Amino acid sequence: MQIIHSANEMQSHAISLRSSGRLIALVPTMGCLHEGHLSLIDIAKEKGDKVIVSIFVNPTQFGPSEDYDKYPRELENDLEKCRERGVDIVFNPTVDEMFPQGYSTYVKEEQLSAGLCGVSRPYHFRGVTTVCLKLFNLTRPDVAVFGRKDAQQCAVVKKMVADLNVPTEIVIGPTLRDADGMATSSRNVYLSDSQRVEAVSISQALKIAKDMVDSGTRSVDRIVAEVTHHLSLHRRIRVIYVSVVDRDSMELARTVEPGRQLLCVAAWADQTRLIDNVEL
Ligand code: AMP
């Protein structure tokens, strides 16, 4: 497995891989790799001849009072996991390499990124689209694999790729969950045992919503009320939003049409911001 830190080296290597006819599949990550990331690597291996995993904690997608400084960084562990999983290249640039002094160009999607997480994190998706386009330019992927857990990110990146004619196919992998139902996430390491017990209420609430739809409920208001009620029973959990949206346009729905919508939840478990969603 190759480990590349330099942006120029990554780009020239990717260009030569492509010119020799290799299909490149990229999995962009911020590291602290867990089973969710590894499941995306497996998808990337099916889609491409060469799998590149980027590990970069992107400062431009964190707000000033968010957890950029304390975000978990475990490079040695991550490299070991990538090696075991058969990754070909890990691209691990420094912040200076990606955003050197004087950096001033950003890519902003202006519709799908406005609601849900965009309300409380106004610069988040601008940081995501900017770093993704840079990573795409440096690694030249035929395919890039993202996780449905970050559903709005999937929709925004897909829209950016379509709007800017980026020649990369975006593939979405399903959300990987722990045995208790909780979506795996790098931020789960912040949770104490008691916080985790309460945080599991998020995936429980999603299950309640899915069961309501499966039993015939179509009123979004009723489903949102039930989910919000379930979360409110847990004193460490504070809801940021509970919304039913179209999974491509991120437009809010009033009535459930099974198969094309997601119920998305963001909530604080004390100081830890968690998101999750379920297909209805
Ligand atoms: P992150 O390192 O949190 O930026 O995530 C990198 C990629 O892994 C993103 O495409 C996420 O959506 C995806 N991801 C994170 N958690 C999960 C999960 N539990 N299941 C599947 N994909 C995930």
Side-chain angles (χ1 to χ4, degrees):
M1 187 177 79
Q2 262 176 292
I3 300 160
I4 299 180
H5 300 289
S6 143
N8 282 340
E9 192 185 334
M10 183 66 255
Q11 194 176 50
S12 45
H13 193 58
I15 289 169
S16 80
L17 281 174
R18 280 190 77 114
S19 63
S20 65
R22 303 289 166 73
L23 282 177
I24 299 177
L26 170 71
V27 182
T29 82
M30 297 206 297
C32 193
L33 301 182
H34 51 70
E35 287 298 323
H37 296 117
L38 302 182
S39 71
L40 303 185
I41 291 173
D42 292 343
I43 295 172
K45 285 173 72 175
E46 283 169 19
K47 298 276 175 189
D49 309 316
K50 290 282 175 189
V51 172
I52 305 178
V53 172
S54 62
I55 298 180
F56 178 63
V57 185
N58 169 30
T60 68
Q61 72 187 68
F62 289 79
S65 58
E66 293 181 356
D67 58 342
Y68 173 70
D69 286 332
K70 74 165 187 167
Y71 194 85
R73 291 160 171 89
E74 295 187 359
L75 186 62
E76 283 313 312
N77 256 332
D78 290 346
L79 294 177
E80 198 46 48
K81 288 177 182 166
C82 287
R83 238 177 243 119
E84 280 171 13
R85 213 68 171 203
V87 170
D88 297 290
I89 301 168
V90 170
F91 177 47
N92 173 231
T94 60
V95 173
D96 272 354
E97 193 73 10
M98 293 294 276
F99 298 106
Q101 194 71 25
Y103 185 91
S104 60
T105 304
Y106 294 88
V107 181
K108 187 169 183 287
E109 191 288 326
E110 298 199 328
Q111 274 175 18
L112 286 62
S113 54
L116 304 185
C117 287
V119 174
S120 50
R121 307 185 77 191
Y123 294 101
H124 173 68
F125 290 111
R126 185 186 79 149
V128 169
T129 41
T130 300
V131 83
C132 284
L133 190 58
K134 282 177 69 76
L135 290 169
F136 294 171
N137 284 332
L138 293 173
T139 63
R140 306 288 170 112
D142 296 279
V143 174
V145 188
F146 290 81
R148 176 67 77 199
K149 183 174 101 56
D150 298 274
Q152 191 175 13
Q153 171 169 284
C154 292
V156 169
V157 170
K158 271 188 155 177
K159 188 67 170 33
M160 185 261 294
V161 160
D163 285 350
L164 298 182
N165 311 98
V166 179
T168 298
E169 182 196 352
I170 304 300
V171 170
I172 312 295
T175 301
L176 209 106
R177 297 180 181 281
D178 285 327
D180 58 7
M182 181 125 156
T184 57
S185 165
S186 307
R187 288 192 167 96
N188 291 355
V189 300
Y190 297 149
L191 300 172
S192 68
D193 289 350
S194 58
Q195 287 168 334
R196 175 155 180 132
V197 167
E198 297 216 354
V200 170
S201 64
I202 297 172
S203 56
Q204 287 168 349
L206 298 179
K207 171 102 179 37
I208 291 170
K210 176 73 177 145
D211 288 347
M212 286 175 78
V213 171
D214 289 348
S215 336
T217 306
R218 294 291 176 265
S219 158
V220 165
D221 286 348
R222 278 190 58 201
I223 293 167
V224 168
E226 197 56 42
V227 166
T228 308
H229 170 70
H230 182 77
L231 295 171
S232 74
L233 302 175
H234 301 83
R235 70 180 179 85
R236 293 170 180 276
I237 304 296
R238 272 177 301 130
V239 171
I240 303 167
Y241 62 77
V242 175
S243 303
V244 176
V245 294
D246 179 278
R247 75 171 171 205
D248 297 318
S249 70
M250 289 286 120
E251 273 172 27
L252 290 172
R254 295 176 61 87
T255 307
V256 176
E257 293 167 35
R260 43 173 306 115
Q261 292 160 334
L262 302 172
L263 177 104
C264 299
V265 172
W268 291 102
D270 288 335
Q271 271 66 260
T272 303
R273 192 180 191 283
L274 299 170
I275 58 171
D276 200 350
N277 66 82
V278 68
E279 209 164 304
L280 295 179

